[in-house]
């Protein structure tokens, strides 16, 4: 047979071969049924299989034809070459059951009479003679067979031919003009003995690729999905015509040849059935009889009868509960659509849309009709169709923002001049910009807003002000703080009368000021004009955050006391649209050391934006939540949340948010303290600095402080001091966040101790105490007291240091800073051991510190507990380097050290090289002598 290459179907070919061998071996009839949907390749399979496994076997083929269903035995007549094809009597068969040429026709009801049975027996004897040396009889398209042919097949199944006859029955089981009396073999009858049934399924994607090896893989994958692996439909789709430049929901047009081939299935239908089929093609989903009747403009009873006739022809199929009708295959629907007059289709789609709107149909069903109408020629105005698209997009924007964006883009295309008014285009563009921004496509949202906002007039309703606020927010999320601030100020200055949008603009201006490092005055009162509750709450949240960020603790607490009840009372739908409000409250509560309240607000925001698929809000909330976890010492959670936030930041294209995410991940990784964490933390922090807009911005300062933390813990105090000093602007660190300034002074104190600069360390500790006096925050006071206690320890004033260390531990515990609490307990344990080696205070502190470290997931506590207390020289070593130095003095090799620490021997050698340099020794023997000076730490 000509055509594409035959692929796959090896099991089916093997079963036909087995049936043929059984027939030859037993010398009796074997029946093989091949069934499947139209186009699935039944006929091709049979001919290829017989050609491969029995090329010399005589082959007889009879094919059923719908037009010859009135001719008795027409399938067998075709198979054995009747010289004169008889014609059916238009008046029907005579009452005696005979045709004019003497052929018998079985009666519709009642038992088979003797004459008919003898006819079947005669045909059986003739087949026995024809098959005495072997014969393959293929009866194709039996679903179009006449009653006489079906009766003879049934007789042959009951009384098999006693000769090596391979009887192959090919038909579509769903498409029965005459009820088939045969089907799957009886239960318990082994297949391959005398009867087998092959149900042909679709081709796999791999087989489709083999069938069309030169086709584009992406296009072929899509074609395979559309055809559902049906070889016939794959061939029909092989030469589809492009549907135009604009995106369309309609599948690509089939070629005229493909439509002509498929038209044979519905050609000659009665008018009512044809109208019903055309009406069904209007729908992309299963439809009820009532809708079909409205579209076809026919009585419902007549449409119901036509639909069931189409089901029996397997053009339509039934979807149960409740009964609805749909096409057998989408390709068939496409062919019927293309074969229908476009003007009739346009009117039918309009009738369908009207009916669906009246019934309150789902958005996708309504939009499908609009999209078809926009692709068809008609004289109706597009405004009602655009309204349907916008309303549907609003309804599904939370659950499927990508779909809403696609619908709004279609609305904009429909409104191209001169089709729509400028106001309509502006409204659709603003809605599209909002939804694309919420979905995380900030670049497209920014482009749309840049185009539409300059065209909007200033109006008392605040439409333009709200659009400008949205534009500013997008610029802020992208890290374009200078541009965002300029847009906000320009709009506020040019606003003749304050509107509701003034709240949103003032909120954005305040947020931009905090993030850019150049605070803008946030209005202390309310702007004039009406505003919603969520707009007022948003402005209040920014004021709280600004006060908490700048160290105005009392003001921040007062604002929180009035603002939290308001935001807690707001419904989810308002906060889902304005997630920044929850973010600001959560961060303010974190800076005021209320981690439980911060967690509650941030978790509520995360749940809302996840449910709404809002990537723009999700990234910020994840970052805020990771900082709460960092405050609590939950390092695994910090790294996980920061990693997810980084993924979202990359997806939405925000470098500033990505800088935050990398910085937070670097902080968590650095404090985790694993064998490879030092290098990874430094690399992450350096990447954060590169992505930050500048060190003046919040993201830049955060990246710089993260790099300072990572480099100090990695044994590089000089870089730590450099980064913190540069980010802080001066020795007082006045550019750093005031509410966290004692923490950064403490970090500089530790860096000075690591560098052996005791006077500088004391100066930083006193600066931390002074900064802590300005804010009433126990956690920040704990940082200052811890710094001063460490300075006293370095001086050898252990007894003087203990009150500071105990106070720091208690304050860290009260603030919920578990990691810092465990590190303070390490200092207490080491100091207590220096005073009294056998003291219970040291044992309790050591035990509790290790418990808390296990909760945090850090190795640094255990490493610090193994470090000596006295002498500044050893402070130059990091926790990890001191651990390796102690292991090296026990005589183990680099390979064994690496195996124990899960690092390579080369990495161990690099560590030892740095240790030798810092200790001033040149060999392991010198290292042993150096470490032995600190044998007071032997455990």
């Amino acid at each position: 047979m000509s055509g594409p290459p035959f692929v796959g179907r090896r099991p089916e070919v093997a079963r036909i071969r087995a049936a043929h061998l059984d027939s030859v071996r037993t010398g009796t009839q074997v029946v093989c049924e091949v069934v499947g949907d139209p186009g699935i390749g039944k006929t091709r399979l049979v001919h290829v299989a017989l050609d491969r496994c029995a090329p010399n076997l005589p082959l007889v083929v009879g094919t059923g034809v719908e037009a010859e269903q009135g001719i008795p035995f027409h399938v067998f007549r075709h198979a054995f070459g009747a010289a004169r094809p008889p014609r059916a009597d238009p008046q029907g068969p005579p009452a005696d059951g005979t045709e004019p040429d003497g052929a018998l026709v079985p009666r519709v009801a009642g038992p088979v009479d003797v004459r008919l049975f003898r006819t079947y027996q005669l045909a059986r004897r003739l087949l026995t003679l024809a098959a005495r040396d072997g014969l393959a009889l293929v009866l194709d398209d039996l679903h179009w067979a006449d009653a006489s042919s079906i009766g003879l097949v049934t007789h042959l199944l009951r009384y098999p031919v006693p000769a090596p006859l391979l009887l192959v029955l090919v038909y579509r089981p769903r498409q029965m003009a005459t009820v088939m009396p045969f089907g799957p073999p009886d239960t318990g009858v082994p297949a391959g003995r005398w009867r087998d049934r092959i149900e042909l399924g679709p081709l796999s994607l791999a087989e489709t690729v083999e069938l069309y090896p030169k086709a584009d893989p992406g296009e072929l994958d899509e074609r395979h999905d559309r055809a559902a692996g049906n070889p016939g439909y794959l061939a029909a789709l092989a030469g589809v015509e492009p549907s135009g430049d604009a995106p369309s929901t309609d599948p690509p047009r089939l070629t005229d040849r493909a439509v002509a081939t498929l038209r044979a299935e519905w050609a000659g239908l009665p008018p009512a059935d044809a109208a019903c089929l055309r009406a069904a093609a209007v729908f992309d989903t299963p439809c009820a009889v009532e809708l079909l009747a409205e579209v076809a403009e026919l009585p419902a009873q007549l449409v119901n009868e036509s639909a069931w006739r189409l089901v029996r022809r397997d053009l339509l199929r039934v979807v149960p509960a409740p009964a609805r009708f749909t096409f057998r295959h989408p390709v068939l629907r496409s062919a019927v659509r293309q074969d229908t007059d476009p003007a009739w289709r346009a009117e039918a789609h309009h009738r369908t849309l009207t009916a669906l709107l009246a019934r309150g149909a789902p958005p996708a069903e309504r939009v499908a009709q609009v999209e078809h109408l926009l692709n068809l020629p008609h004289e109706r105005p597009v405004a009602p169709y655009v309204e349907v698209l916008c309303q549907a997009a609003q309804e599904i924007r939370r659950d499927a923002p990508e779909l809403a964006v696609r619908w709004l883009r279609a609305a904009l295309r429909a409104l191209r001049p001169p089709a729509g008014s400028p106001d309509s285009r502006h409204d659709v563009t603003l809605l599209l910009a909002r939804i694309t921004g919420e979905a995380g496509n900030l670049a497209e949202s920014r482009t749309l807003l840049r185009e539409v906002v300059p065209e909007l007039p200033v109006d008392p309703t605040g439409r333009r002000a709200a659009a400008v606020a949205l534009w500013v927010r997008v610029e802020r999320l992208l890290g374009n703080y200078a541009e965002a601030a300029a847009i906000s100020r320009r709009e506020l200055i040019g606003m003749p009368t304050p509107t509701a949008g003034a709240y949103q603009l003032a909120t954005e201006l305040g947020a931009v000021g905090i993030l850019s490092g150049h605070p803008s005055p946030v209005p202390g009162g309310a702007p004039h004009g009406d505003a919603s509750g969520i707009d007022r709450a948003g402005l209040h949240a920014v004021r709280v955050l600004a006060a908490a960020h700048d160290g105005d603790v009392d003001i921040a607490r007062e604002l929180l006391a009035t603002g939290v009840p308001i935001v807690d009372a707001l419904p989810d739908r308002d906060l889902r649209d304005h997630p920044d409000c929850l973010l600001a409250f959560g961060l303010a509560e974190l800076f005021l050391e209320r981690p439980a309240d911060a967690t509650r607000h941030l978790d509520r925001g995360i749940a809302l934006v996840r449910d709404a698929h809002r990537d723009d809000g999700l990234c910020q909330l994840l970052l805020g939540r990771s900082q709460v976890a960092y405050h609590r010492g939950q390092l695994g959670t910090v790294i996980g949340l920061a990693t997810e936030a980084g993924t979202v930041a990359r997806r939405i294209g925000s470098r500033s948010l990505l800088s935050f995410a990398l910085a937070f991940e670097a902080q968590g990784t650095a404090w985790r303290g694993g064998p490879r964490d030092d290098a990874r933390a430094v690399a992450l922090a350096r990447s954060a600095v590169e992505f930050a807009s500048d060190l003046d911005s919040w993201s830049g300062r955060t990246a710089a402080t993260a790099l300072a933390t990572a480099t100090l813990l990695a044994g590089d105090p000089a870089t730590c001091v450099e980064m913190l000093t540069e980010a802080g602007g001066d020795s007082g660190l006045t550019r750093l966040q005031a509410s966290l300034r004692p923490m950064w002074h403490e970090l500089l104190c530790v860096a000075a101790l690591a560098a052996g600069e005791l006077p500088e360390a004391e100066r930083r500790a006193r600066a931390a105490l002074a900064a802590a006096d300005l804010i009433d925050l126990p956690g920040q006071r704990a940082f200052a007291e811890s710094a001063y206690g460490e300075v006293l320890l370095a001086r050898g004033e252990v007894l003087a240091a203990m009150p500071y260390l105990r106070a720091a531990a208690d304050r860290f515990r009260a603030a919920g800073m578990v990691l810092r609490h465990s590190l303070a307990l390490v200092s207490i344990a080491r100091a207590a051991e220096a005073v009294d080696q056998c003291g219970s205070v040291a044992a309790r502190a050591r035990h509790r510190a290790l418990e808390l470290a296990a909760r945090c997931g850090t190795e640094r506590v255990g490493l610090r507990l193994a470090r000596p207390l006295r002498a500044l020289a050893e402070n130059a070593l990091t926790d990890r380097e001191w651990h390796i130095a102690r292991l090296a003095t026990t005589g183990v090799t680099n390979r064994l050290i690496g195996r124990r620490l899960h690092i390579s021997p080369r990495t161990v050698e690099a560590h030892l090289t740095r240790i030798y340099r810092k200790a001033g020794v040149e060999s392991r023997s010198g290292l042993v002598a150096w470490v032995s000076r600190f044998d007071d730490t032997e455990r």
Side-chain angles (χ1 to χ4, degrees), residues 577-590:
D577 290 338
H578 300 80
D580 297 348
C581 179
L582 289 172
L583 173 67
F585 271 106
L587 289 177
E589 288 162 335
L590 174 62

Side-chain angles (χ1 to χ4, degrees), residues 199-248:
E199 297 185 4
L200 215 54
L203 296 178
S204 67
L205 179 58
E207 291 168 339
T208 301
V209 172
E210 185 181 356
L211 186 62
Y212 297 97
K214 297 182 180 180
D216 176 74
E219 183 273 336
L220 192 59
D221 190 4
E222 181 182 355
R223 197 201 316 174
H224 178 270
D225 288 341
R226 287 190 59 206
N230 186 301
Y233 298 146
L234 282 168
L237 294 170
V240 292
E241 300 171 0
S243 55
D245 296 334
S248 171

Side-chain angles (χ1 to χ4, degrees), residues 482-627:
E483 186 170 355
I487 295 170
S488 299
R489 292 193 184 96
R490 184 169 61 244
E491 189 66 22
L492 286 172
I493 292 172
M495 192 178 295
T497 56
T499 65
Y503 275 88
Q504 300 173 24
L505 276 173
T507 301
E508 286 300 329
L509 186 59
V512 168
I514 297 172
L515 288 166
S516 65
H518 305 287
S520 300
V522 180
H528 299 292
D530 296 330
S532 63
I534 185 60
D535 288 337
R536 295 175 185 271
L539 181 58
H540 193 91
V542 170
R543 293 173 57 204
V544 174
L545 179 58
H549 179 275
D550 295 340
D552 298 327
V553 175
D554 292 336
I555 295 176
R557 286 172 177 160
E558 292 177 7
L559 292 171
L560 270 182
T562 57
V564 167
I566 296 174
V567 75
D568 286 346
L570 288 172
D572 285 350
R573 65 176 180 275
D574 289 346
L575 292 171
R576 187 185 299 114
D577 290 338
H578 300 80
D580 297 348
C581 179
L582 289 172
L583 173 67
F585 271 106
L587 289 177
E589 288 162 335
L590 174 62
F591 298 152
L592 296 179
E593 298 180 2
R594 300 180 182 180
D597 293 336
T599 299
R600 179 169 59 85
H601 286 125
L602 292 171
D603 283 350
R604 183 184 181 189
I606 289 173
L608 290 174
V609 297
R610 283 194 193 278
D611 181 63
H613 305 281
R614 287 199 59 172
D615 279 353
D616 65 327
L618 177 61
C619 185
Q620 301 176 91
L621 288 162
L622 288 173
L623 292 171
R625 186 64 179 82
S626 73
Q627 283 304 93

Side-chain angles (χ1 to χ4, degrees), residues 17-177:
R17 179 187 293 109
H20 166 62
L21 295 176
D22 282 347
S23 172
V24 173
R25 186 181 67 255
T26 61
T28 58
Q29 168 187 303
V30 173
V31 179
C32 186
E33 297 178 59
V34 180
V35 301
D37 287 342
I40 205 67
K42 302 181 293 295
T43 302
R44 184 81 184 276
L45 167 69
V46 170
H47 285 272
V48 169
L50 291 176
D51 185 59
R52 289 182 180 179
C53 53
N56 299 320
L57 182 69
L59 174 64
V60 177
V61 179
T63 304
V65 179
E66 181 181 14
E68 297 182 1
Q69 281 184 300
I71 301 174
F73 300 106
H74 84 270
V75 177
F76 288 90
R77 291 174 186 266
H78 180 258
F80 292 100
R84 175 177 57 87
R87 298 182 180 180
D89 185 355
Q91 302 300 323
D96 62 356
T98 62
E99 281 288 315
D101 61 353
L104 291 172
V105 180
R107 290 176 173 82
V108 175
V112 178
D113 60 30
V114 175
R115 291 181 61 200
L116 188 58
F117 181 81
R118 288 175 179 171
T119 302
Y120 291 158
Q121 281 291 81
L122 177 60
R124 176 173 172 269
R125 286 196 293 271
L126 292 174
L127 284 174
T128 302
L129 292 174
R132 62 182 181 275
D133 295 323
L135 178 67
L137 174 57
V138 178
L139 302 181
D140 202 355
D141 286 345
L142 269 181
H143 47 277
W144 297 128
D146 60 284
S148 302
S149 298
I150 296 299
L152 179 52
V153 171
T154 306
H155 185 84
L156 294 176
L157 292 176
R158 183 172 177 81
Y159 302 99
V161 172
L165 173 66
L166 177 60
L167 179 58
V168 183
L169 310 178
V170 183
Y171 60 94
R172 307 172 187 172
R174 291 176 176 268
Q175 195 170 337
M176 297 299 179

Side-chain angles (χ1 to χ4, degrees), residues 395-401 438 576-577 611-614:
E395 292 178 25
I396 60 98
R397 61 187 288 193
R398 304 301 179 206
D399 299 321
E438 291 175 356
R576 187 185 299 114
D577 290 338
D611 181 63
H613 305 281
R614 287 199 59 172

Side-chain angles (χ1 to χ4, degrees), residues 784-799:
E785 291 171 334
S786 174
Y788 198 71
E790 291 292 341
V791 170
L792 294 176
L793 282 180
R795 283 178 177 173
E797 302 174 17
V798 178
L799 293 177

